[in-house]
Amino acid sequence: MEYTIGALAEIAGITTRTLRHYEGMGLLKSLKTNSSGYRIYGDAEVDRLQQILFYRELGFDLKGIKAILDNPEFDRLHALESHRRALMEKQREIGTLIQTVEKSIQACKKNRPMKERDKFEGFKRELVRKNEKTYGQEVRNSFGEEELFKANAKMLNMSEADYAEFDALAKEILEKLKQAEAAKDPSSGLAQEVARLHKQWLLHTWTTYSPEAHANLAQTYVDDPRFAAYYQGRAAFLRDAIQIFTKKRVSPTA
């Protein structure tokens, strides 16, 4: 079938201005222009728009979406299956948060404390949501959507004991990183202990580990000011310690 720009905008629930913007940046080109000067879109364009809107829902920026869709190895079926998994996970997250709120409301009405386990489950979901909003795009760019999905799933399956260890490791890393950085030697025993602890911390959410991925992540800490702020100005030192630990050197991104 073929659609005018107005018809496609109505079907997709977006504006014609948005479609013109997509065409202007080469993200979605119309099939042709009719005799009246209206843009016309065919089935292939509709399929591409569907992918664009899926990726937008998952938090991708337009430049990132264009890079993905223009990749000659792009597989539409694989992308749709990946979208389905991500959306089902979002559905589960929202469902759990709703249940947590409902339980909180009932606890307030009955003037009794909410069970700690129920609080914890809601907390994990909220943590994943915040991480997705803040760092999701960067993680996808560096490691791919599939790895982000697996990491989120592993986080959500953590027991309270596992999460307590995960949280304690994060605090221990910051504390020992401060001590190690003062000596200005990323190859020192303490600095390498920090790198080892960082690997142990990652394995709470990573399903597989490789020195290359670890080193790449450490470089991301330096390149992204949000990560750099989290590590309190010591991201470069942590990166150097991890590169020594993994024996991998990563060039800074442009």
Side-chain angles (χ1 to χ4, degrees), residues 5-204:
I5 187 171
L8 181 58
E10 183 178 358
I11 292 171
I14 57 178
T15 65
T16 56
R17 182 179 179 181
T18 296
L19 289 173
R20 292 190 185 95
H21 177 62
Y22 288 171
E23 178 143 7
M25 66 178 295
L27 180 58
L28 179 68
K29 297 179 180 178
S30 55
L31 174 64
K32 60 185 179 181
T33 303
N34 66 15
S35 58
S36 300
Y38 290 103
R39 293 178 174 88
I40 301 297
Y41 299 84
D43 291 337
E45 289 73 37
V46 173
D47 288 345
R48 186 174 172 98
L49 178 59
Q50 181 189 49
Q51 292 297 326
I52 292 168
L53 297 180
F54 277 144
Y55 279 116
R56 286 291 285 165
E57 177 64 25
L58 294 173
F60 283 68
D61 61 39
L62 295 180
K63 289 183 179 179
I65 296 172
K66 186 176 186 303
I68 292 170
L69 298 183
D70 288 347
N71 187 331
E73 296 183 0
F74 176 74
D75 184 325
R76 182 168 179 264
L77 176 59
H78 176 77
L80 287 170
E81 290 173 341
S82 180
H83 293 325
R84 179 178 61 187
R85 288 194 296 271
L87 291 171
M88 288 177 67
E89 181 57 35
K90 276 193 172 185
Q91 184 181 49
R92 284 193 292 271
E93 289 176 17
I94 292 171
T96 300
L97 288 172
I98 290 173
Q99 289 175 9
T100 302
V101 172
E102 289 289 351
K103 289 175 182 177
S104 298
I105 291 171
Q106 293 304 316
C108 287
K109 286 181 176 180
K110 296 178 181 179
N111 195 27
R112 68 186 185 194
M114 187 177 176
K115 292 181 181 179
E116 291 300 320
R117 180 172 180 80
D118 290 336
K119 290 182 182 178
F120 178 65
E121 290 302 317
F123 171 76
K124 285 192 299 182
R125 299 282 177 175
E126 180 64 12
L127 181 61
V128 167
R129 186 193 67 78
K130 287 182 177 179
N131 286 343
E132 167 68 27
K133 182 177 180 180
T134 307
Y135 304 115
Q137 185 62 56
E138 288 74 16
V139 175
R140 286 189 182 91
N141 291 343
S142 299
F143 302 102
E145 185 178 331
E146 188 73 19
E147 288 305 313
L148 177 62
F149 175 81
K150 291 178 180 178
N152 286 343
K154 194 168 182 181
M155 166 71 80
L156 293 171
N157 285 327
M158 277 189 193
S159 66
E160 291 187 56
D162 288 337
Y163 183 80
E165 182 180 351
F166 176 72
D167 187 52
L169 278 170
K171 294 174 181 175
E172 185 178 4
I173 288 167
L174 289 177
E175 181 180 345
K176 289 188 175 179
L177 177 62
K178 181 179 180 180
Q179 298 171 13
E181 196 265 346
K184 307 299 181 184
D185 181 7
S187 67
S188 69
L190 184 56
Q192 290 305 291
E193 170 68 3
V194 171
R196 185 192 66 77
L197 289 172
H198 193 267
K199 174 184 176 180
Q200 186 178 344
W201 177 76
L202 288 175
L203 288 174
H204 278 72

Side-chain angles (χ1 to χ4, degrees), residues 208-242:
T208 58
Y209 173 86
S210 75
E212 291 85 357
H214 194 179
N216 284 331
L217 179 63
Q219 181 59 51
T220 300
Y221 291 163
V222 178
D223 296 335
D224 191 313
R226 291 168 299 176
F227 287 109
Y230 173 79
Y231 285 106
Q232 304 167 354
R234 302 182 180 92
F237 183 85
L238 177 60
R239 184 268 319 273
D240 293 344
I242 289 172

